[in-house]
């Protein structure tokens, strides 16, 4: 940018991958393979730069803030490229198809915003390591859910929403997004990722606080946005099981978020996954 000033627009492609297939372990050459795929894809796309998480993430002290801004990096990209390859140790004896590898990549929590927020102007390209060289797979974003995601019936609606072919209401968007996110495997220590992945799909974002629980992160996100009383509606539902996670949106009476009309606003978030209600009404009942 310094060299060309205003005469040239710097474009980049976003390289998506999973560490299950491309390990960050220095003992393996997976990072060299990734960079090779990225360079090949950038030259094919005719752009000067590629963005690859293993090399483009900041130092650890800035990581908390920057990891949740990846959604903005995806939005600004020229196009999305998937790099897939055989998993690491213990799987060497198997031969995987590109479709199998793509479905494994699609189980990642962060794969969701990468696809949803990627540009519609170019198809998604899938490069497969370990197969004979050839042209990459090309998949329009609208066809991607059926190839990579097991919840295609729901995720297809979200892709349509971000492509502009259908318009989901805020409550429909939240309900379907949580239905999709709740089916993806999640480590206990990264449970807050659900809230932060969802944060990338919204406009206003509270500052990241790694000491927050997942529910606290989501509550701050909901309060920061004009979310159509999302949090108030959510706490009115009665889960079918007390062992369900808070982000599994179901109700023992089979009600939906849009069936609830809350009167009392949530005005604060507390410790212990609690919220503060303002103007709550109480009624005594005489059971006779």
């Amino acid at each position: 940018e310094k060299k060309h000033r205003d005469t040239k627009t710097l474009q980049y492609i976003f390289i998506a991958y999973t560490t299950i297939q491309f390990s960050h372990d220095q003992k393996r050459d997976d990072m060299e393979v990734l960079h090779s795929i990225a360079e090949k894809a950038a030259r094919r796309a005719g752009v000067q730069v590629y963005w690859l998480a293993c090399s483009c993430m900041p130092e650890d002290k800035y990581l908390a803030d920057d990891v949740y801004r990846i959604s903005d990096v995806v939005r600004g990209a020229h196009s999305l490229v998937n790099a897939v390859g055989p998993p690491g140790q213990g799987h060497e004896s198997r031969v995987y198809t590109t479709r199998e590898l793509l479905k494994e990549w699609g189980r990642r929590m962060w794969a969701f915003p990468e696809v949803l927020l990627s540009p519609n102007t170019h198809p998604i390209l899938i490069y497969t390591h370990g197969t004979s060289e050839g042209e990459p797979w090309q998949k329009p974003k609208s066809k991607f859910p059926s190839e990579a995601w097991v919840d295609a019936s729901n995720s297809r609606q979200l892709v349509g929403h971000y492509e502009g072919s259908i318009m989901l209401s805020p409550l429909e968007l939240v309900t379907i997004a949580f239905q999709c996110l709740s089916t993806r495997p999640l480590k206990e220590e990264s449970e807050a990722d659900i809230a932060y992945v969802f944060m990338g799909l919204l406009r206003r974002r509270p500052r990241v606080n790694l000491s927050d629980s997942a529910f606290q992160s989501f509550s701050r996100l909901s309060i920061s946005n004009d979310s159509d009383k999302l949090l108030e509606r959510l706490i009115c539902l009665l889960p079918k099981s007390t062992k369900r996670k808070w982000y599994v949106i179901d109700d023992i009476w089979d009600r939906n978020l849009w069936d609830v009309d809350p009167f009392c606003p949530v005005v604060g978030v507390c410790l212990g996954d609690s919220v503060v209600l303002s103007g709550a009404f109480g009624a005594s009942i005489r059971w006779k």
Side-chain angles (χ1 to χ4, degrees), residues 259-277:
D259 295 322
V260 181
D261 186 14
F263 288 95
C264 311
V266 172
V267 294
V269 187
C270 311
L271 296 175
D273 288 353
S274 303
V275 295
V276 180
L277 292 174

Side-chain angles (χ1 to χ4, degrees), residues 155-226:
S155 54
R156 189 181 293 114
Q157 298 181 64
L158 294 177
V159 170
H161 176 81
Y162 283 95
E163 281 194 314
S165 58
I166 62 174
M167 291 304 297
L168 300 173
S169 71
L171 293 177
E172 288 175 320
L173 174 64
V174 170
T175 301
I176 296 174
F178 274 134
Q179 286 173 349
C180 293
L181 291 173
S182 64
T183 64
R184 278 139 178 87
L186 188 66
K187 295 179 181 178
E188 193 66 33
E189 63 270 17
S190 59
E191 190 174 287
D193 277 5
I194 281 197
Y196 291 127
V197 166
F198 192 67
M199 180 190 297
L201 306 180
L202 300 178
R203 188 169 64 89
R204 295 193 185 97
R205 308 173 199 175
R207 186 173 178 80
V208 173
N209 186 344
L210 294 182
S211 65
D212 280 351
S213 68
F215 180 75
Q216 288 171 330
S217 301
F218 171 74
S219 299
R220 296 188 197 283
L221 176 63
S222 177
I223 292 172
S224 300
N225 285 272
D226 179 15

Side-chain angles (χ1 to χ4, degrees), residues 131-145:
T131 61
S132 57
E133 293 293 327
E135 288 295 301
W137 269 24
Q138 296 189 42
K139 291 294 174 185
K141 194 158 85 169
S142 59
K143 304 292 184 184
F144 201 81

Side-chain angles (χ1 to χ4, degrees), residues 28 61 78 94 104 149 160 202 224 232:
R28 295 175 55 181
K61 61 181 179 180
H78 167 276
R94 270 206 60 188
E104 183 178 50
W149 291 332
L202 300 178
S224 300
E232 288 84 350

Side-chain angles (χ1 to χ4, degrees), residues 35-238:
H35 280 286
S36 175
I37 291 174
E39 181 180 346
K40 187 186 305 180
R43 293 185 183 281
R44 188 183 192 280
V47 302
Q48 306 98 315
V49 183
Y50 58 82
W51 193 97
L52 191 58
C54 63
S55 296
C56 298
M57 295 303 292
E59 300 174 19
D60 288 346
K61 61 181 179 180
Y62 302 116
L63 192 62
D65 284 333
D66 225 48
V67 70
Y68 303 116
R69 287 198 284 261
I70 292 179
S71 296
D72 296 325
V73 181
V74 180
R75 282 189 175 97
H78 167 276
S79 55
L80 175 67
V81 172
N82 273 119
V84 298
Q89 295 180 351
H91 301 273
E92 294 86 349
S93 59
R94 270 206 60 188
V95 177
Y96 293 84
T97 66
T98 297
R99 183 172 280 104
E100 285 179 306
L101 296 173
L102 188 61
K103 285 186 179 295
E104 183 178 50
W105 171 85
R107 298 176 72 231
R108 285 174 60 241
M109 182 73 65
W110 289 92
F112 214 55
E114 288 171 357
V115 172
L116 292 179
L117 302 178
S118 63
N120 303 331
T121 49
H122 299 88
I124 298 172
L125 299 184
I126 299 100
Y127 285 80
T128 307
H129 172 54
T131 61
S132 57
E133 293 293 327
E135 288 295 301
W137 269 24
Q138 296 189 42
K139 291 294 174 185
K141 194 158 85 169
S142 59
K143 304 292 184 184
F144 201 81
S146 59
E147 293 288 354
W149 291 332
V150 296
D151 49 11
S153 58
N154 278 332
S155 54
R156 189 181 293 114
Q157 298 181 64
L158 294 177
V159 170
H161 176 81
Y162 283 95
E163 281 194 314
S165 58
I166 62 174
M167 291 304 297
L168 300 173
S169 71
L171 293 177
E172 288 175 320
L173 174 64
V174 170
T175 301
I176 296 174
F178 274 134
Q179 286 173 349
C180 293
L181 291 173
S182 64
T183 64
R184 278 139 178 87
L186 188 66
K187 295 179 181 178
E188 193 66 33
E189 63 270 17
S190 59
E191 190 174 287
D193 277 5
I194 281 197
Y196 291 127
V197 166
F198 192 67
M199 180 190 297
L201 306 180
L202 300 178
R203 188 169 64 89
R204 295 193 185 97
R205 308 173 199 175
R207 186 173 178 80
V208 173
N209 186 344
L210 294 182
S211 65
D212 280 351
S213 68
F215 180 75
Q216 288 171 330
S217 301
F218 171 74
S219 299
R220 296 188 197 283
L221 176 63
S222 177
I223 292 172
S224 300
N225 285 272
D226 179 15
S227 56
D228 203 6
K229 298 183 179 179
L230 168 60
L231 186 56
E232 288 84 350
R233 295 172 192 265
L234 183 63
I235 63 176
C236 286
L237 299 183
L238 179 62

